[in-house]
Structure formats: C-alpha cells, structure tokens
Amino acid sequence: MFRLIRYLKGYEKESIIGPLFKLLEACFELVVPLIMAAIIDVGIHNRDTGYILRMGGLLVLMGVLGLSCSITAQYFAAKAAFGFGTALRRDMFQHINRLSYAELDSIGASTLVTRVTGDINQAQSGVNLVLRLFLRSPFIVAGALVLSFVIDARLGLIFLVVTPVMALVIFGIMRITMPIYKLAQKQLDRVLLLTRENLSGVRVIRAFSRQQEELDRFAEANSALRSTQLRVGGISALLNPLTYVLVNLGILVLLQQGAVAVDGGRISQGDLVALVNYMNQILLALVALANLIVSFTKALASGNRINEILDTQPSFTDEKATRSQPVEGAPRVEFRDVSFGYGGSSALSHISFKAWPGQTIGIIGGTGAGKSSLVNLIPRFYEASEGQVLVDGIDVKDQPFHQLRHHIGIVPQRAVLFRGTIRSNLRWRDEQAGDEELWRALRIAQASEFVEQKPHKLDTTITQAGKNLSGGQRQRLTIARALVGNPDIVILDDSASALDYATDARLRHALATELAGCTVFVVSQRAASIKHADLILVLDDGQLAGAGTHSQLLKSCPVYREICLSQLSKEEVEAE
C-alpha cells in the first residue's frame, strides 16, 4: 500500500492541508474541557452569570471553528483521495493493456475486474480516512494525556496505563484480521469467477439442465466467503466493546481517585470534570483510530493485491524492437522450426512453412491441434518458445507491436463488437477510413446486404457486444473490420463458423479476387473452406502432419484425407 503513495503526486497541497485542518479541529476540541472547567470553578462557583455566558459563547465559537476546520479537512482529503484513485485506476488499466495474452490467461479476467474496481475503491477509501483521521486521533490521545498530567500528575498515570492497553488490543486485533481479509478477497474473486462463467455460459447450462449443479457450486463459494467475512467481522466487532470497557474502567478509577483528590483540595471539581472529558475524548479518538485501522487493514490488503498486478510484468515487450523495412523478396510470413506451449504444456512443435504475398493459407486440424496458437504467433500475441516467426523477412521480435499489427487484419474466433455504430466499429483499424472503403470491406465480407437494409445503414447503433445482431451478422462485421485499411495479412481464425455454406463460399471467392497481394490465413474446421487454398497446413496434436495443396495432401497425408472423408463425399474430396 505504501508503494502506492506516489499516486498522490499532484495532490501534495491537499494531502497537507487536510490533516492540518484536522489538527486545528483537534486543538479546538482539546480546549473545550478547560473552558468547561473554568465555567464550573469560576462561573458556577461564584454564581457569575456574565462569566458563564461569555465562556458559553466561547464554547459556541470553538464549535463553529471546529466544524469549519472539519469540513475543510474533509473536502481536501476527499479531493486527494479521489485524485489518488483516478490516477491509480488509469495506470492499472494501462498496465493491464500492456500484459501479454500469457499473463492475462494466468491471472484471469474476474480477478482483474476485482482489482480495478473493488480493490482500488477500498484503497481510495483508506487514503481518505488516513488523511482525515490518522493524525487527528493520535494528536487527541497525546494532547489529552499531556493535559491530564498538567492538571494532576497522579491522575495522569491512570491515562498512561489505560491508553497503551487499548492500543495493544487494537493492534492485536489488526494483526489477526489482516490475513483473514486477504483470504476473503481471494474468495470474492472465486465468487466473481463463477458469476462470470454462469452469465457467459447461461445457454449451455440451461441446454444441459445443469442449473442445480451451478447453484450448488455458487452456494459453496458464497458460503465460504460468508463464513470468512463473519469470522473476520466477529473479530473486528470486538474492538468497540473492548475499548469501551477499558475506558469505562479507567473512568471508574479516575472518579474514585479524583474524588479523593477533590476532597483533599489537590484539584478542583472543574478539573475532575475536565479529566473525565479527556478520558472520553481518548475513548472516542481510539475508537475512531480502531475503525480507521480496520479500514486501513482492508486497504492494505487491497493495496497488496493491486501491487501484485502492477508487479506482474509482461513476459515480452517491444521496447528493444526497432522499426525495420521489409526484406525484398522475402516471404510474407515464415515459421522456422517454431515451438510454443502454454504454461509448460506443448501446443506446437517444430513448425516450419513459408507464406508468400497473394497466397491463401488454409489451416485445419482437430480440436486442440494448435490452429489458433499458430496464427496467434504471427501478430506476436504470444512468444514462441523456440524458433523464429518472421513477417516480411523480419523477426517479429524486432518489430514494434504497432508496426507489426498495423499490417495485420485479425478476425478472432469470438466475434467481438463494441457499443457504438457500425461505422465506429469498422474504423478500428483506420480511423480516417472513408465510407467508400467501409462499403468495400462490407461487400467482401458479405455484410453489405444486411447493412443496407438497416434504416440508418452505417450509423446503425450496435449495443454492447453486438447483442442486437445475429451471430452471422456479427462475424461478417468483424471480418469487414479486419479488411478496412488494406492489411497485408488477414487472419480468419475460424471466423465463418456461423455462416452458411453459400455465404462462406461467396466470402472465400471475394477474398481471393478482391485482396490481390494480401496473404490470407484461413483457420477452419471445414475442409470445404480451405480446400482451394494455395497451401494447406494440417495440424495434429501440435505437429505439422502435412503441408501442400488439396490434391497433394489427399495422397500424402492420412490425417487430412480422414478429415475430408468425414465431411465430404468421395466425389467432392477428389474433385479439384
């Protein structure tokens, strides 16, 4: 948490003014018992109504000044805390966007959402409370102790005994609760993960009538979180009663010893009332400090969780990459003995091939064969563990991300659209693209027909995740988005799965005729979709089982022939 203090940069003034005004408020509060003592010892004792009224007016003034200081302090503390939260949230979001796919897969989306929202909010609240109370409460305690010794050193010893005992109780409870708060946050991550899984997979869950199993899983995780929160809440709840008991015991001893001191003439009645007031002030200050510590403990746990993400560095960056010119005559994409795996498990082994400008490369294989892994290495979403991936004759490691990915149009397996209009979604690759270019991309992607039928055409509103479009419409729009800006490489990662065969055939024909000079990678489970590709890569359990044209692979690759025969008739298989 303390490492995050740098996010208060720019709010140094507010971070100083807030606590200072709280100290001023504390000073006014410490003066009040002395005024009350004077009213009792002088005004009431001498029956001086004028003196009582004057001192009463002074009490009102102290109250107004204290209130003004408190409001001012809270304003500046809140301003600094919200500035802290805004800066931290911005940097956290930027840092997450720097992480590679490997780190994002490892951490998990639900955890990242919790850190950006709940944890940062908790840290922000902790900063707000610290700026308002961290100096005020100890100052009240120290001031009350000093003034109690000024009034009477013997009675001040009671304060000197009670205060450390209360501090010991507070810090003991804090030490116990901190690891439990960390456990509760982890369990909250689990609940959020289950919620996200159920919401995203609700159709599958209902299709297989697994609602009860999912309810049981959620109930188990929720009950574990509830038990942890009840346990830590029960321990934290001991703070107030224990501190009240200790302070009230202190007041009882103070009244007993104070009565003896008043009877002996060592102190006045007003002094005894002031001492009781100071004991109550210590009580309130320590209770506030206890609540602050509870909140700060949560903030510390959240701060540590935030630092875990900030400390997670991307496994690879483009900081050492230099902008390079394409090598003349080099293949558009080349794999040289490339191997890759996820977390130690192998996904691709010793893959080598060349793809030239204007070629269509088909990639086929069974589920889990490594098709998506292969194409994800081209834009360097993942880092190859062995070998080289070259684009235009240059190792992808030597190219800045922006330069590399600017020339690649990517259509992922899952069609993702963003809230806005069709025009704003299509312009993701090129913000300056004109309508003519957008319509050309739509025609190639076989999406122009349904877009023209929309009343507002390119200005048609798309809801979050494109929920107001069908699956096929979303896929065609994502294909069109990838084609805007005339990319040199287009990657279609099983992006036509929601299209019928006729639309799929028209799309392949348009890609072949309209994208001259563009290298197209088509990842598909359908043999018909890659049958006419210039080069077909057949993957089997991460291995390159075969590479060649359709007719070549039918003769030389049993895996490919088996896939074709399982999907097409013998006549279709043998037809070229």
Side-chain angles (χ1 to χ4, degrees):
M1 181 66 184
F2 296 103
R3 290 167 51 193
L4 302 178
I5 292 176
R6 66 182 184 273
Y7 288 101
L8 284 172
K9 184 178 181 181
Y11 294 91
E12 294 88 349
K13 179 182 69 175
E14 288 82 358
S15 300
I16 294 172
I17 292 176
L20 281 179
F21 271 89
K22 272 296 179 181
L23 288 180
L24 280 175
E25 179 201 358
C27 291
F28 294 134
E29 191 171 333
L30 288 171
V31 172
V32 168
L34 298 178
I35 298 174
M36 288 296 299
I39 291 175
I40 294 171
D41 292 339
V42 179
I44 295 177
H45 183 268
N46 297 328
R47 298 184 179 181
D48 187 343
T49 304
Y51 184 84
I52 293 173
L53 292 175
R54 288 195 302 274
M55 298 305 286
L58 184 58
L59 281 177
V60 173
L61 178 62
M62 292 293 106
V64 172
L65 290 174
L67 177 63
S68 302
C69 290
S70 177
I71 292 173
T72 304
Q74 295 206 27
Y75 168 77
F76 284 107
K79 187 176 180 181
F82 277 96
F84 165 89
T86 301
L88 178 55
R89 201 174 286 111
R90 180 195 63 233
D91 277 14
M92 184 79 151
F93 190 77
Q94 289 178 348
H95 180 75
I96 290 172
N97 276 278
R98 288 180 57 243
L99 297 178
S100 69
Y101 279 25
E103 285 75 48
L104 295 176
D105 293 343
S106 174
I107 298 170
S110 59
T111 297
L112 291 174
V113 170
T114 305
R115 307 289 167 93
V116 174
T117 53
D119 283 324
I120 290 182
N121 287 338
Q122 188 67 60
Q124 178 179 294
S125 298
V127 169
N128 192 4
L129 285 172
V130 165
L131 291 177
R132 289 194 293 113
L133 299 176
F134 186 68
L135 289 180
R136 179 188 181 278
S137 295
F139 184 79
I140 288 284
V141 173
L145 278 171
V146 170
L147 290 173
S148 67
F149 274 91
V150 170
I151 293 172
D152 187 82
R154 293 184 191 175
L155 295 178
L157 292 174
I158 299 173
F159 288 76
L160 202 59
V161 171
V162 173
T163 304
V165 172
M166 284 193 290
L168 184 64
V169 169
I170 290 169
F171 285 103
I173 290 177
M174 182 186 73
R175 186 180 180 85
I176 295 171
T177 55
M178 184 176 290
I180 306 178
Y181 279 125
K182 291 181 181 179
L183 175 61
Q185 287 297 109
K186 290 181 180 179
Q187 291 174 334
L188 178 61
D189 281 349
R190 171 69 177 164
V191 171
L192 290 174
L193 173 63
L194 290 174
T195 303
R196 183 172 177 272
E197 283 183 345
N198 275 265
L199 290 176
S200 60
V202 62
R203 289 181 174 85
V204 177
I205 293 169
R206 292 179 180 177
F208 288 91
S209 299
R210 299 299 294 266
Q211 292 96 322
Q212 189 57 50
E213 287 86 345
E214 292 303 312
L215 285 172
D216 292 341
R217 287 178 65 206
F218 184 84
E220 182 182 352
N222 201 30
S223 296
L225 175 61
R226 175 179 174 273
S227 299
T228 303
Q229 288 178 328
L230 285 176
R231 181 155 59 98
V232 73
I235 297 171
S236 299
L238 293 174
L239 277 173
N240 283 357
L242 286 176
T243 50
Y244 271 99
V245 166
L246 290 171
V247 169
N248 281 297
L249 286 174
I251 290 175
L252 285 174
V253 175
L254 179 63
L255 289 174
Q256 192 270 332
Q257 295 296 318
V260 175
V262 170
D263 191 51
R266 198 169 76 240
I267 61 172
S268 65
Q269 293 175 333
D271 289 337
L272 180 58
V273 171
L275 287 171
V276 172
N277 280 333
Y278 282 132
M279 184 65 80
N280 282 317
Q281 283 188 2
I282 290 177
L283 166 65
L284 295 175
L286 285 175
V287 168
L289 183 62
N291 292 327
L292 167 64
I293 289 173
V294 171
S295 297
F296 190 64
T297 301
K298 294 179 182 178
L300 279 176
S302 294
N304 291 334
R305 287 159 54 82
I306 292 168
N307 281 323
E308 286 177 7
I309 303 300
L310 294 177
D311 289 341
T312 301
Q313 296 301 317
S315 52
F316 57 88
T317 65
D318 63 345
E319 293 175 357
K320 297 182 180 179
T322 57
R323 194 175 182 86
S324 305
Q325 294 298 323
V327 177
E328 188 175 352
R332 182 59 53 77
V333 176
E334 182 179 0
F335 275 51
R336 295 179 181 173
D337 197 31
V338 172
S339 297
F340 168 72
Y342 299 96
S345 61
S346 178
L348 296 171
S349 298
H350 306 290
I351 306 295
S352 297
F353 70 89
K354 295 179 181 179
W356 298 90
Q359 280 192 326
T360 297
I361 311 299
I363 303 174
I364 195 169
T367 302
K371 303 184 295 298
S372 295
S373 299
L374 187 148
V375 294
N376 279 331
L377 294 176
I378 299 173
R380 206 184 174 199
F381 290 151
Y382 294 95
E383 187 87 293
S385 53
E386 296 179 20
Q388 283 183 298
V389 179
L390 298 94
V391 173
D392 291 326
I394 309 167
D395 196 319
V396 292
K397 297 178 182 179
D398 297 328
Q399 300 187 46
F401 290 147
H402 177 72
Q403 174 189 331
L404 174 65
R405 294 167 185 172
H406 179 71
H407 298 290
I408 303 175
I410 303 169
V411 186
Q413 285 183 345
R414 182 186 175 193
V416 178
L417 296 173
F418 298 89
R419 185 179 180 86
T421 62
I422 291 178
R423 177 183 279 105
S424 66
N425 272 273
L426 293 180
R427 282 179 170 172
W428 269 63
R429 289 200 74 254
D430 184 1
E431 295 181 357
Q432 306 303 320
D435 286 1
E436 183 178 348
E437 185 175 354
L438 300 184
W439 282 111
R440 174 180 175 272
L442 288 169
R443 284 194 297 273
I444 297 173
Q446 308 304 304
S448 58
E449 183 178 349
F450 84 82
V451 173
E452 286 175 343
Q453 293 175 354
K454 301 287 184 181
H456 302 291
K457 296 182 170 55
L458 290 175
D459 293 316
T460 300
T461 299
I462 293 180
T463 60
Q464 184 179 3
K467 295 299 183 182
N468 58 333
L469 301 174
S470 69
Q473 289 173 338
R474 287 198 297 271
Q475 280 195 340
R476 282 178 281 174
L477 284 181
T478 56
I479 294 171
R481 179 178 61 195
L483 301 178
V484 173
N486 298 314
D488 297 323
I489 301 170
V490 173
I491 298 173
L492 306 176
D493 187 2
D494 201 15
S495 54
S497 58
L499 305 184
D500 59 77
Y501 282 95
T503 304
D504 186 18
R506 291 197 301 271
L507 171 64
R508 286 186 279 109
H509 181 265
L511 289 172
T513 56
E514 297 284 345
L515 300 180
C518 178
T519 303
V520 180
F521 287 83
V522 180
V523 177
S524 180
Q525 303 265 10
R526 298 175 181 175
S529 297
I530 51 90
K531 180 179 176 182
H532 299 286
D534 300 301
L535 175 66
I536 300 172
L537 305 177
V538 184
L539 296 178
D540 183 29
D541 196 22
Q543 306 279 342
L544 187 59
T549 62
H550 172 69
S551 58
Q552 292 171 343
L553 290 172
L554 284 178
K555 299 174 184 177
S556 62
C557 183
V559 175
Y560 181 73
R561 184 173 182 83
E562 182 181 347
I563 293 172
C564 290
L565 289 174
S566 67
Q567 298 180 11
L568 307 172
S569 65
K570 188 174 182 180
E571 291 75 15
E572 290 175 315
V573 169
E574 295 176 352
E576 296 187 10

